[in-house]
Amino acid sequence: MAEGRLPRRARDGHGAEVPSRLLASWQRSEDYGVSLETVEPVFAGTGVEESLFVQCGNEVLTGLHATLMDEPVSLMLTDSDGLVLSRLSGDTSLLTALDAVHLAPGFAFSERDAGTNGLGLALADRTASVVRADEHYSASLCTYTCAAVPVFDPVSGRLEGAVNLTTWSRSSDRLLLALAQSAAGNTAALMLARSRGRSARPASRGEVFRVRSAHLEPGAGALRDLSPAWADALAQAERAMSAGRVVAAVGEPGSGRATLLALAHRRVHPRDRILSATCPAPQDVEAWLSLWGPELGKPDTGVVVRDVDHLPAWAAGRLGDLVRTQHLGAVPLALSLTAEELLALPGPLAPLVDTVVQVPPLRERPDDVPLLAEHLARRARGRDVPITPAAARALRGYSWPGNADQLARVVREAVSRGDTIDVRQLPAEILSGSRHRLGPVEAFEREMLVRALTRPGATAKDAAAELGISRATVYRKIAQYDVRIPGR
């Protein structure tokens, strides 16, 4: 437990009880492997997000900033993963200090990334939070007080992100929290006023840079006893890593390339830390390389560079030079790469690869799907979630064009709808063999048809009555969308 981070009033025996939320957050931070001394940077790019939440939040914070221009307060907007999207402050000394601990746009400050802090706790517990001075898990944050309030979509109820206000630890936390609550409330109200006719929120950006401790790297806790195709690819990667070779895992996006590499590295080097770096937007490549590049070649460190086929040519050249320099060192280089295919590797990187491992897509491993679904459901809910035989057959029979990433999304949606995964909890896309891309009206029609047909004991006649159409139309729509419901 993080004894060094106990609040002073509790350490000195003043009788004050440490809040249970804070204790729980410290424990999670310890479990995540967060450093007690410094916050390790987690860079996730600085691309512009055009969601309604970001537009409204920035508008509210800009107005508040005009009022607090001369105050030592930094106003920030973050997404639901703790990624800082924007930051405003008129105090240059505070901004410089925040830059030193990476509390800046493009960096993630969730509990998993930075330990107990205001915005991380607010997002984890989904409620307004204040973290003062040495209540922070990491000592590098103990000169600040942070107040953060989560913001939920007023229509869907989905967690969108948080408003975070940070100042020096000596300042009033009550006023800080009141301002954060006001800004979060105004953001949600503005979102509600502008929500009519707006398009759906764009999908969040994928991970660009992440540093994980040894027990939290990609592939941690992943299933090992999967299909022979997966086991063969994993064994091939293990043998190459044992021989000190640079491995490239190639295959379709979402097929588990980085997971396979991380799992193989963990088997070969059980105590190593693993860094996972995914190609960012071009404007962020310089910062991306400077963050993790110095770690390459360090003892007990493995690096998985993901999607190198998306790197600009100049960045691939820089990376190639860095790798060749490290190859000359005394420490064996533990490096692996992912790309869609070997021929897509940038020219400067292709000669560095010693072994190529082909990772099979999920549609070629249908027996893995139910096992992975059970694993993903357990991770999402923290306990076993039963999957009915009918749902398992539907999952196994689907083609999974998005591979494991798509399966993870489907499972998360399913477990949010109930305590058992049945065909009723599965999205219509899983129960349909429609080949062409559906428009919004067709997708809605298919969804309503599937929901009506998957009600317990429902027949085509029941579905027709519920939808207000004829039974013949129901059968025609089933054929049109190639709806397949196991057991029917």
Side-chain angles (χ1 to χ4, degrees):
M1 189 62 215
E3 297 294 334
R5 296 279 69 80
L6 287 174
R8 187 178 304 280
R9 61 179 183 276
R11 279 207 317 264
D12 290 349
H14 292 176
E17 184 178 353
V18 178
S20 59
R21 284 182 60 208
L22 195 61
L23 285 172
S25 179
W26 286 342
Q27 184 61 62
R28 290 194 297 268
S29 301
E30 182 180 56
D31 292 342
Y32 292 145
V34 176
S35 169
L36 280 167
E37 301 305 323
T38 60
V39 174
E40 295 183 351
V42 176
F43 185 70
T46 56
V48 177
E49 174 126 13
E50 295 296 335
S51 72
L52 180 62
F53 161 66
V54 170
Q55 293 179 12
C56 293
N58 282 334
E59 185 173 331
V60 169
L61 291 187
T62 299
L64 182 58
H65 172 59
T67 304
L68 300 174
M69 178 71 74
D70 299 325
E71 299 297 325
V73 178
S74 177
L75 293 75
M76 304 176 205
L77 198 69
T78 82
D79 70 5
S80 58
D81 294 321
L83 174 67
V84 180
L85 301 173
S86 62
R87 185 184 69 178
L88 296 169
S89 179
D91 190 310
T92 56
S93 63
L94 178 60
L95 288 175
T96 300
L98 293 177
D99 284 342
V101 294
H102 309 289
L103 188 47
F107 289 85
F109 252 73
S110 67
E111 279 187 346
R112 184 181 296 274
D113 303 313
T116 303
N117 68 90
L119 73 89
L121 184 57
L123 292 171
D125 286 354
R126 297 185 169 226
T127 189
S129 302
V130 176
V131 175
R132 311 164 185 85
D134 59 0
E135 291 178 345
H136 289 87
Y137 186 81
S138 176
S140 62
L141 301 178
C142 288
T143 55
Y144 308 102
T145 289
C146 302
V149 180
V151 178
F152 298 89
D153 186 295
V155 177
S156 68
R158 177 176 53 191
L159 177 64
E160 292 287 342
V163 169
N164 177 65
L165 273 61
T166 297
T167 187
W168 302 113
S169 58
R170 60 181 178 272
S171 302
S172 170
D173 56 78
R174 292 185 180 180
L175 176 59
L176 203 67
L177 180 59
L179 288 171
Q181 289 173 318
S182 175
N186 290 339
T187 297
L190 192 58
M191 290 174 66
L192 181 61
R194 295 181 178 175
S195 61
R196 296 185 180 224
R198 292 301 298 254
S199 59
R201 179 176 184 243
S204 59
R205 292 186 304 274
E207 180 178 273
V208 173
F209 180 78
R210 183 77 65 180
V211 178
R212 308 262 179 112
S213 61
H215 57 293
L216 291 171
E217 81 291 347
L223 294 174
R224 297 189 176 198
D225 299 324
L226 295 177
S227 64
W230 174 269
D232 289 346
L234 180 59
Q236 185 182 357
E238 282 187 63
R239 289 192 297 270
M241 291 181 182
S242 297
R245 298 172 182 166
V246 174
V247 181
V250 299
E252 296 177 7
S255 58
R257 299 167 300 179
T259 298
L260 181 139
L261 291 172
L263 186 54
H265 188 100
R266 176 61 64 239
R267 290 187 177 186
V268 176
H269 306 287
R271 303 189 63 83
D272 278 13
R273 63 170 181 155
I274 298 176
L275 281 64
S276 173
T278 301
C279 174
Q283 68 268 22
D284 293 321
V285 170
E286 192 73 44
W288 176 76
L289 285 171
S290 65
L291 278 169
W292 67 266
E295 306 301 310
L296 189 63
K298 285 188 176 180
D300 305 321
T301 299
V303 179
V304 180
V305 188
R306 303 162 66 176
D307 301 326
V308 294
D309 45 338
H310 296 170
L311 278 175
W314 68 266
R318 285 272 305 277
L319 178 55
D321 292 341
L322 182 62
V323 171
R324 279 184 284 272
T325 300
Q326 294 298 335
H327 256 312
L328 301 176
V331 179
L333 187 64
L335 172 70
S336 53
L337 315 170
T338 76
E340 287 198 45
E341 56 184 16
L342 179 61
L343 295 179
L345 286 173
L349 299 180
L352 303 176
V353 175
D354 302 308
T355 300
V356 178
V357 176
Q358 181 72 46
V359 180
L362 197 55
R363 65 179 172 275
E364 296 179 6
R365 303 183 279 127
D367 291 339
D368 288 348
V369 174
L371 294 174
L372 288 171
E374 291 173 357
H375 174 69
L376 291 164
R378 190 180 308 115
R379 288 180 58 184
R381 291 290 295 271
R383 61 175 177 79
D384 290 338
V385 178
I387 300 177
T388 65
R393 287 196 298 273
L395 293 172
R396 187 185 292 109
Y398 185 63
S399 62
W400 300 108
N403 287 296
D405 286 352
Q406 183 184 12
L407 177 61
R409 174 179 59 79
V410 167
V411 170
R412 283 196 301 268
E413 292 177 0
V415 298
S416 71
R417 294 172 178 160
D419 296 325
T420 298
I421 298 179
D422 193 9
V423 288
R424 293 183 59 199
Q425 279 74 47
L426 298 179
E429 65 192 81
I430 305 302
L431 303 173
S432 168
S434 180
R435 296 289 182 181
H436 70 283
R437 184 179 180 86
L438 302 182
V441 174
E442 290 178 309
F444 176 77
E445 185 177 63
R446 182 184 66 177
E447 181 74 25
M448 296 299 293
L449 176 65
V450 169
R451 292 294 150 243
L453 290 170
T454 54
R455 297 194 188 284
T459 63
K461 180 180 179 181
D462 298 328
E466 178 179 338
L467 298 174
I469 57 179
S470 69
R471 194 186 316 182
T473 301
V474 168
Y475 286 123
R476 180 167 57 83
K477 293 296 181 183
I478 290 175
Q480 177 184 342
Y481 297 122
D482 194 13
V483 174
R484 308 163 186 170
I485 300 176
R488 299 288 178 87

